[in-house]
PDB file of all heavy atoms in Angstrom:
ATOM      1  N   ALA A 171     207.526  24.442  12.016  1.00 90.00           N
ATOM      2  CA  ALA A 171     206.270  24.084  11.363  1.00 90.00           C
ATOM      3  C   ALA A 171     206.382  22.699  10.651  1.00 90.00           C
ATOM      4  O   ALA A 171     205.447  21.943  10.708  1.00 90.00           O
ATOM      5  CB  ALA A 171     205.921  25.142  10.247  1.00 90.00           C
ATOM      6  N   LYS A 172     207.502  22.408  10.069  1.00 86.00           N
ATOM      7  CA  LYS A 172     207.681  21.141   9.375  1.00 86.00           C
ATOM      8  C   LYS A 172     207.683  20.008  10.415  1.00 86.00           C
ATOM      9  O   LYS A 172     207.025  18.929  10.106  1.00 86.00           O
ATOM     10  CB  LYS A 172     209.059  21.085   8.666  1.00 86.00           C
ATOM     11  CG  LYS A 172     209.281  19.807   7.858  1.00 86.00           C
ATOM     12  CD  LYS A 172     210.563  19.949   7.088  1.00 86.00           C
ATOM     13  CE  LYS A 172     210.886  18.623   6.273  1.00 86.00           C
ATOM     14  NZ  LYS A 172     209.922  18.463   5.177  1.00 86.00           N
ATOM     15  N   ILE A 173     208.260  20.133  11.555  1.00 83.00           N
ATOM     16  CA  ILE A 173     208.245  19.152  12.585  1.00 83.00           C
ATOM     17  C   ILE A 173     206.849  18.914  13.158  1.00 83.00           C
ATOM     18  O   ILE A 173     206.328  17.813  13.235  1.00 83.00           O
ATOM     19  CB  ILE A 173     209.247  19.462  13.688  1.00 83.00           C
ATOM     20  CG1 ILE A 173     210.694  19.447  13.125  1.00 83.00           C
ATOM     21  CG2 ILE A 173     209.130  18.469  14.876  1.00 83.00           C
ATOM     22  CD1 ILE A 173     211.684  20.103  14.057  1.00 83.00           C
ATOM     23  N   VAL A 174     206.235  20.044  13.524  1.00 85.00           N
ATOM     24  CA  VAL A 174     204.889  19.937  14.183  1.00 85.00           C
ATOM     25  C   VAL A 174     203.870  19.385  13.158  1.00 85.00           C
ATOM     26  O   VAL A 174     202.944  18.661  13.519  1.00 85.00           O
ATOM     27  CB  VAL A 174     204.468  21.355  14.659  1.00 85.00           C
ATOM     28  CG1 VAL A 174     202.999  21.337  15.117  1.00 85.00           C
ATOM     29  CG2 VAL A 174     205.366  21.806  15.835  1.00 85.00           C
ATOM     30  N   MET A 175     204.058  19.777  11.911  1.00 86.00           N
ATOM     31  CA  MET A 175     203.076  19.333  10.897  1.00 86.00           C
ATOM     32  C   MET A 175     203.475  18.091  10.114  1.00 86.00           C
ATOM     33  O   MET A 175     202.874  17.726   9.162  1.00 86.00           O
ATOM     34  CB  MET A 175     202.767  20.454   9.945  1.00 86.00           C
ATOM     35  CG  MET A 175     202.304  21.782  10.500  1.00 86.00           C
ATOM     36  SD  MET A 175     201.842  23.060   9.334  1.00 86.00           S
ATOM     37  CE  MET A 175     200.260  22.419   8.826  1.00 86.00           C
ATOM     38  N   GLY A 176     204.517  17.458  10.650  1.00 80.00           N
ATOM     39  CA  GLY A 176     205.021  16.265   9.974  1.00 80.00           C
ATOM     40  C   GLY A 176     204.270  15.018  10.506  1.00 80.00           C
ATOM     41  O   GLY A 176     203.125  14.847  10.213  1.00 80.00           O
ATOM     42  N   TRP A 177     205.019  14.178  11.280  1.00 73.00           N
ATOM     43  CA  TRP A 177     204.365  12.921  11.748  1.00 73.00           C
ATOM     44  C   TRP A 177     203.154  13.118  12.647  1.00 73.00           C
ATOM     45  O   TRP A 177     202.262  12.277  12.575  1.00 73.00           O
ATOM     46  CB  TRP A 177     205.421  12.039  12.356  1.00 73.00           C
ATOM     47  CG  TRP A 177     206.071  12.549  13.631  1.00 73.00           C
ATOM     48  CD1 TRP A 177     207.238  13.169  13.721  1.00 73.00           C
ATOM     49  CD2 TRP A 177     205.581  12.382  14.966  1.00 73.00           C
ATOM     50  NE1 TRP A 177     207.521  13.495  15.073  1.00 73.00           N
ATOM     51  CE2 TRP A 177     206.524  13.023  15.837  1.00 73.00           C
ATOM     52  CE3 TRP A 177     204.465  11.796  15.563  1.00 73.00           C
ATOM     53  CZ2 TRP A 177     206.336  13.101  17.199  1.00 73.00           C
ATOM     54  CZ3 TRP A 177     204.226  11.822  16.881  1.00 73.00           C
ATOM     55  CH2 TRP A 177     205.181  12.462  17.710  1.00 73.00           C
ATOM     56  N   PRO A 178     203.048  14.250  13.408  1.00 79.00           N
ATOM     57  CA  PRO A 178     201.817  14.351  14.182  1.00 79.00           C
ATOM     58  C   PRO A 178     200.521  14.429  13.314  1.00 79.00           C
ATOM     59  O   PRO A 178     199.531  13.804  13.645  1.00 79.00           O
ATOM     60  CB  PRO A 178     202.005  15.687  14.991  1.00 79.00           C
ATOM     61  CG  PRO A 178     203.502  15.801  15.151  1.00 79.00           C
ATOM     62  CD  PRO A 178     204.038  15.290  13.830  1.00 79.00           C
ATOM     63  N   LEU A 179     200.643  15.084  12.202  1.00 85.00           N
ATOM     64  CA  LEU A 179     199.448  15.211  11.247  1.00 85.00           C
ATOM     65  C   LEU A 179     199.295  13.838  10.589  1.00 85.00           C
ATOM     66  O   LEU A 179     198.148  13.463  10.371  1.00 85.00           O
ATOM     67  CB  LEU A 179     199.719  16.241  10.158  1.00 85.00           C
ATOM     68  CG  LEU A 179     199.481  17.685  10.582  1.00 85.00           C
ATOM     69  CD1 LEU A 179     199.535  18.584   9.368  1.00 85.00           C
ATOM     70  CD2 LEU A 179     198.098  17.891  11.231  1.00 85.00           C
ATOM     71  N   GLN A 180     200.365  13.123  10.324  1.00 77.00           N
ATOM     72  CA  GLN A 180     200.149  11.773   9.732  1.00 77.00           C
ATOM     73  C   GLN A 180     199.487  10.838  10.731  1.00 77.00           C
ATOM     74  O   GLN A 180     198.673  10.013  10.335  1.00 77.00           O
ATOM     75  CB  GLN A 180     201.518  11.207   9.291  1.00 77.00           C
ATOM     76  CG  GLN A 180     202.193  11.888   8.163  1.00 77.00           C
ATOM     77  CD  GLN A 180     201.338  11.834   6.880  1.00 77.00           C
ATOM     78  OE1 GLN A 180     200.615  12.746   6.550  1.00 77.00           O
ATOM     79  NE2 GLN A 180     201.339  10.716   6.165  1.00 77.00           N
ATOM     80  N   VAL A 181     199.865  10.967  11.988  1.00 75.00           N
ATOM     81  CA  VAL A 181     199.285  10.096  13.037  1.00 75.00           C
ATOM     82  C   VAL A 181     197.785  10.451  13.133  1.00 75.00           C
ATOM     83  O   VAL A 181     196.911   9.597  13.282  1.00 75.00           O
ATOM     84  CB  VAL A 181     199.980  10.300  14.402  1.00 75.00           C
ATOM     85  CG1 VAL A 181     199.197   9.623  15.530  1.00 75.00           C
ATOM     86  CG2 VAL A 181     201.375   9.658  14.349  1.00 75.00           C
ATOM     87  N   ALA A 182     197.505  11.740  13.090  1.00 83.00           N
ATOM     88  CA  ALA A 182     196.101  12.221  13.194  1.00 83.00           C
ATOM     89  C   ALA A 182     195.267  11.673  11.985  1.00 83.00           C
ATOM     90  O   ALA A 182     194.136  11.236  12.149  1.00 83.00           O
ATOM     91  CB  ALA A 182     196.043  13.726  13.267  1.00 83.00           C
ATOM     92  N   ALA A 183     195.939  11.758  10.776  1.00 82.00           N
ATOM     93  CA  ALA A 183     195.251  11.219   9.602  1.00 82.00           C
ATOM     94  C   ALA A 183     194.980   9.718   9.758  1.00 82.00           C
ATOM     95  O   ALA A 183     193.895   9.217   9.402  1.00 82.00           O
ATOM     96  CB  ALA A 183     196.064  11.536   8.369  1.00 82.00           C
ATOM     97  N   LEU A 184     196.025   8.956  10.207  1.00 78.00           N
ATOM     98  CA  LEU A 184     195.850   7.551  10.369  1.00 78.00           C
ATOM     99  C   LEU A 184     194.722   7.257  11.401  1.00 78.00           C
ATOM    100  O   LEU A 184     193.899   6.307  11.164  1.00 78.00           O
ATOM    101  CB  LEU A 184     197.186   6.919  10.779  1.00 78.00           C
ATOM    102  CG  LEU A 184     197.147   5.406  11.011  1.00 78.00           C
ATOM    103  CD1 LEU A 184     196.725   4.679   9.783  1.00 78.00           C
ATOM    104  CD2 LEU A 184     198.527   4.943  11.489  1.00 78.00           C
ATOM    105  N   ALA A 185     194.749   7.999  12.467  1.00 80.00           N
ATOM    106  CA  ALA A 185     193.705   7.751  13.501  1.00 80.00           C
ATOM    107  C   ALA A 185     192.288   7.998  12.997  1.00 80.00           C
ATOM    108  O   ALA A 185     191.380   7.277  13.226  1.00 80.00           O
ATOM    109  CB  ALA A 185     193.964   8.701  14.726  1.00 80.00           C
ATOM    110  N   ALA A 186     192.190   9.075  12.132  1.00 86.00           N
ATOM    111  CA  ALA A 186     190.867   9.355  11.518  1.00 86.00           C
ATOM    112  C   ALA A 186     190.473   8.268  10.544  1.00 86.00           C
ATOM    113  O   ALA A 186     189.259   7.916  10.452  1.00 86.00           O
ATOM    114  CB  ALA A 186     190.923  10.749  10.804  1.00 86.00           C
ATOM    115  N   MET A 187     191.419   7.726   9.881  1.00 82.00           N
ATOM    116  CA  MET A 187     191.157   6.630   8.939  1.00 82.00           C
ATOM    117  C   MET A 187     190.693   5.371   9.666  1.00 82.00           C
ATOM    118  O   MET A 187     189.790   4.685   9.335  1.00 82.00           O
ATOM    119  CB  MET A 187     192.387   6.356   8.070  1.00 82.00           C
ATOM    120  CG  MET A 187     192.752   7.506   7.090  1.00 82.00           C
ATOM    121  SD  MET A 187     194.384   7.304   6.312  1.00 82.00           S
ATOM    122  CE  MET A 187     193.965   6.157   5.019  1.00 82.00           C
TER     123      MET A 187
END
Side-chain angles (χ1 to χ4, degrees):
K172 184 177 178 68
I173 294 165
V174 171
M175 303 185 78
W177 63 265
L179 281 188
Q180 291 300 100
V181 170
L184 178 60
M187 294 168 82

